[in-house]
Amino acid sequence: MAGKNKSADFLKQGGILAIASLLVRLIGLIYRIPMSNILGEEGNGIYAVAFEIYDLILIISSYSLPLAMSKIVSAQLARKEYRNSSQTLKVGMIFALISGGCFGCFLLFGAEFIEKNIYPEYTGVHIPLRVLAPTILIVAFLGVFRGFFQGKKTMIPTAVSQIIEQVVNAVVSVLASYLFMKWTIGDPFRSAWGAAGGTLGTCMGAASALLLLVFLISIYKPTLRKLEKRDRTGSVDSTGYLFKVLILTILPVILSQTVYNISGLIDYKIYGFYSAQGGLDAVSIKSMVGVYSSKYRVMCSVPIALSTALASSMIPSAVQAFTKKDYNQLRYNVSSVVKFNMIIAFPCFIGYTVLGMPIIKLLFSSNFILGGKMLVVGSLAIVFYALSNVTGGALQSINRMSIPVIHSAISLVLHIVIVILCVKYTSFGIYSLLVGNITFPLVVWLLNLWALKRYIPGGYSQEVIKTFVAPLTASIWMGVLTLGFYELVGVFTTSNIVRTLLSLIVAVLSYFVILLLINTVTRDELVDFPFGYRLYALAKKMRLMA
């Protein structure tokens, strides 16, 4: 029970971050619908490429700061080094200023060079890139503050700031996209200006979140001073030493995340290059990429965000367990998060497979047939991304920071070969990117799992029946019942809105019931989930649990 009691807090904190991530993604999904319709497929294609370039630069400059700060601070707190944790915050801010400032300037002044020399198939992409440039510096400071709070095992500041960031992002993105498209009628770069409106929302959202965290840090300062006075370790690490530790912690994460995210940019380049060689015009290339990014990837990002949040929330507890050599607790943490992820990922995969077309038709006004087919074909990637995220976070927790990098690099090489072969030698077209999107996390997960078995003292093995078989079984039955209900409702009405919404309700309820009927989770596990006590009370009323 000791492991169980210890795990409750990190699962609850993970639940807070997961709920926030879900809300953020849902808000993102909601605002991307009108924005997607405003921009059109060409504008969506430009927006997608600009965002992939921005994401890559963000990863290199500062995206890994929350994870690195969380890892360093949590280890310091495990040793009661309170003054060092405060010093780490100061060093992190200096790093953010240098790194975010330099890379922000690079994006601002190098946008046209990037377009002309790397992505000539996506004309106009330099405009939204320049709008995104200041965001690099803002997000760098955001990462430091979020990582500092996460290292102290509180996910609430991160969660609240993420929600505020996304709300502001949503409002500004839709409004600015509409106004920029309206003001540039007749401009050959009209679609690019519309995409720039979307990226302006990203900048304003990040700025609002930063203001909140600066306010919270100022309030937290007296508590920091009290903790520093309780520090009995006797020494404070120098700025130079902490700078070195921060860089050494960040570097493997940067390499790993760069490999993860560069795959999208490589995909767009491969598809654009070989499609252009095959005679496809530039507008069609941007439009196909627009459908892929604004429909398929946006829909898949919602459940994937949950796995990322849970993996992040696991790291501080896993680091402390590893630092204290409590390997049973470490194994419990990893296996619990994997199981929780599968309970979320499998029904999303099956649900998208069954209702992918109706969902896309419900949300988007154009190209819903192609977008729906993509979601049906490519939704399996959700499961593999969930597994690769958690296993990668576990390896980072046990100081095997370079291992996920190597695994991601191996997978990227295979990914590039697969996508090139599919685009060049098959008639898959844009579906080639789906094949790569599935195989990439699959390979990473298998390699990560092998490494966990090797590097966790005493080995590591994941329980199979209740972690994989039971959630998949419940999801398949859910899919069968949902599809049958969707067809049944079709006898009475042709309204896609009515059929889809009612079917989604049936999907959620049937999955919950079947999951409990086959004893996938215990009472103790259920109450550790977000809204766990309410779920348990509901299950008890339905006589699904004692």
Side-chain angles (χ1 to χ4, degrees):
M1 288 298 293
K4 167 68 187 67
N5 293 332
K6 290 178 183 177
S7 74
D9 181 61
F10 95 85
L11 270 180
K12 288 184 188 300
Q13 291 294 326
I16 292 171
L17 201 55
I19 291 170
S21 295
L22 177 59
L23 287 173
V24 165
R25 292 296 176 176
L26 287 176
I27 295 168
L29 175 61
I30 291 168
Y31 89 76
R32 282 296 296 270
I33 294 167
M35 193 179 86
S36 174
N37 295 330
I38 289 168
L39 295 181
E41 304 305 353
E42 182 182 358
N44 284 316
I46 294 171
Y47 179 86
V49 174
F51 229 88
E52 288 289 345
I53 295 169
Y54 159 76
D55 271 344
L56 179 61
I57 294 175
L58 192 65
I59 287 163
I60 296 171
S61 63
S62 58
Y63 194 77
S64 55
L65 274 172
L67 190 150
M69 288 288 295
S70 170
K71 187 174 187 295
I72 294 170
V73 171
S74 61
Q76 290 169 335
L77 294 180
R79 298 188 294 266
K80 301 187 184 302
E81 297 176 359
Y82 301 117
R83 283 183 289 179
N84 273 337
S85 68
S86 298
Q87 184 76 348
T88 301
L89 176 61
K90 295 174 185 176
V91 170
M93 291 172 66
I94 296 171
F95 182 91
L97 178 63
I98 297 171
S99 179
C102 290
F103 281 96
C105 289
F106 167 77
L107 189 60
L108 180 65
F109 298 111
E112 282 196 32
F113 175 85
I114 292 171
E115 178 185 317
K116 289 179 181 178
N117 294 279
I118 305 176
Y119 290 96
E121 302 91 353
Y122 302 93
T123 51
V125 75
H126 70 280
I127 297 174
L129 282 178
R130 282 180 172 161
V131 175
L132 282 167
T135 319
I136 300 292
L137 178 61
I138 295 169
V139 174
F141 282 105
L142 261 181
V144 172
F145 295 141
R146 284 172 173 168
F148 179 75
F149 282 118
Q150 288 172 23
K152 290 182 172 290
K153 290 188 175 183
T154 173
M155 306 298 165
I156 294 175
T158 296
V160 174
S161 67
Q162 283 179 343
I163 293 170
I164 291 175
E165 177 182 3
Q166 192 70 326
V167 169
V168 174
N169 184 3
V171 174
V172 176
S173 292
V174 174
L175 182 61
S177 295
Y178 171 75
L179 292 175
F180 284 16
M181 291 289 282
K182 182 179 178 181
W183 293 337
T184 55
I185 294 175
D187 191 313
F189 291 113
R190 186 187 179 208
S191 294
W193 279 109
T199 58
L200 180 62
T202 305
C203 183
M204 294 297 99
S208 62
L210 180 60
L211 287 175
L212 172 67
L213 289 181
V214 168
F215 173 70
L216 292 178
I217 283 288
S218 65
I219 291 176
Y220 191 65
K221 274 188 177 180
T223 303
L224 280 177
R225 294 192 186 101
K226 288 179 182 178
L227 288 173
E228 288 171 12
K229 290 178 181 178
R230 290 168 50 190
D231 191 330
R232 297 291 182 268
T233 56
S235 63
V236 179
D237 292 330
S238 67
T239 300
Y241 173 78
L242 288 174
F243 221 99
K244 180 182 176 182
V245 171
L246 186 63
I247 291 173
L248 290 176
T249 307
I250 284 173
L251 198 57
V253 182
I254 287 175
L255 293 173
S256 177
Q257 291 298 318
T258 298
V259 173
Y260 258 111
N261 285 269
I262 203 173
S263 63
L265 277 174
I266 292 173
D267 283 352
Y268 294 154
K269 180 62 182 178
I270 291 172
Y271 177 74
F273 178 77
Y274 286 108
S275 296
Q277 280 195 339
L280 196 64
D281 62 276
V283 173
S284 296
I285 291 171
K286 287 184 278 189
S287 296
M288 289 295 100
V289 169
V291 175
Y292 172 77
S293 62
S294 67
K295 295 176 175 61
Y296 167 72
R297 291 195 69 177
V298 166
M299 294 302 299
C300 287
S301 70
V302 176
I304 291 173
L306 296 179
S307 71
T308 304
L310 287 166
S312 298
S313 69
M314 172 191 68
I315 288 174
S317 294
V319 167
Q320 291 197 5
F322 183 73
T323 302
K324 296 175 180 178
K325 298 184 178 180
D326 188 352
Y327 302 124
N328 287 332
Q329 177 64 36
L330 175 63
R331 281 189 285 270
Y332 190 92
N333 285 3
V334 178
S335 62
S336 296
V337 176
V338 170
K339 182 177 180 179
F340 194 7
N341 265 286
M342 292 303 95
I343 289 173
I344 296 170
F346 276 124
C348 291
F349 155 49
I350 298 296
Y352 281 168
T353 302
V354 171
L355 292 178
M357 188 74 70
I359 289 172
I360 294 295
K361 185 178 180 181
L362 174 69
L363 299 177
F364 299 96
S365 61
S366 64
N367 260 326
F368 58 83
I369 294 177
L370 177 59
K373 288 180 178 178
M374 286 184 183
L375 196 57
V376 170
V377 172
S379 58
L380 179 59
I382 293 168
V383 175
F384 297 136
Y385 270 110
L387 291 166
S388 63
N389 283 340
V390 174
T391 52
L395 286 168
Q396 290 162 0
S397 301
I398 62 174
N399 289 330
R400 297 290 176 174
M401 305 291 285
S402 62
I403 300 298
V405 180
I406 296 169
H407 295 169
S408 297
I410 293 170
S411 185
L412 180 62
V413 173
L414 293 173
H415 172 89
I416 292 171
V417 173
I418 289 169
V419 174
I420 289 176
L421 291 175
C422 288
V423 175
K424 191 173 181 180
Y425 297 108
T426 73
S427 58
F428 289 176
I430 193 67
Y431 289 95
S432 303
L433 304 190
L434 301 181
V435 177
N437 199 49
I438 293 171
T439 56
F440 180 78
L442 170 61
V443 174
V444 173
W445 165 55
L446 292 174
L447 292 173
N448 285 350
L449 184 61
W450 171 80
L452 285 174
K453 291 176 181 291
R454 181 179 178 186
Y455 292 116
I456 290 182
Y460 173 79
S461 61
Q462 183 70 47
E463 188 276 334
V464 174
I465 300 300
K466 290 191 175 183
T467 301
F468 298 103
V469 177
L472 179 59
T473 301
S475 299
I476 292 172
W477 276 109
M478 175 205 76
V480 172
L481 292 171
T482 303
L483 182 60
F485 183 81
Y486 180 82
E487 295 299 332
L488 177 63
V489 176
V491 175
F492 302 98
T493 178
T494 58
S495 171
N496 181 64
I497 296 175
V498 173
R499 295 174 71 187
T500 305
L501 292 179
L502 290 177
S503 298
L504 288 172
I505 294 171
V506 169
V508 172
L509 292 176
S510 62
Y511 179 68
F512 178 70
V513 170
I514 296 168
L515 197 70
L516 296 183
L517 282 176
I518 60 178
N519 298 316
T520 307
V521 293
T522 64
R523 176 197 176 279
D524 288 340
E525 288 174 330
L526 183 62
V527 297
D528 281 340
F529 290 177
F531 305 110
Y533 282 104
R534 293 182 183 179
L535 291 174
Y536 172 67
L538 178 61
K540 197 171 181 180
K541 284 182 180 179
M542 297 172 68
R543 300 182 184 277
L544 298 172
M545 271 190 168

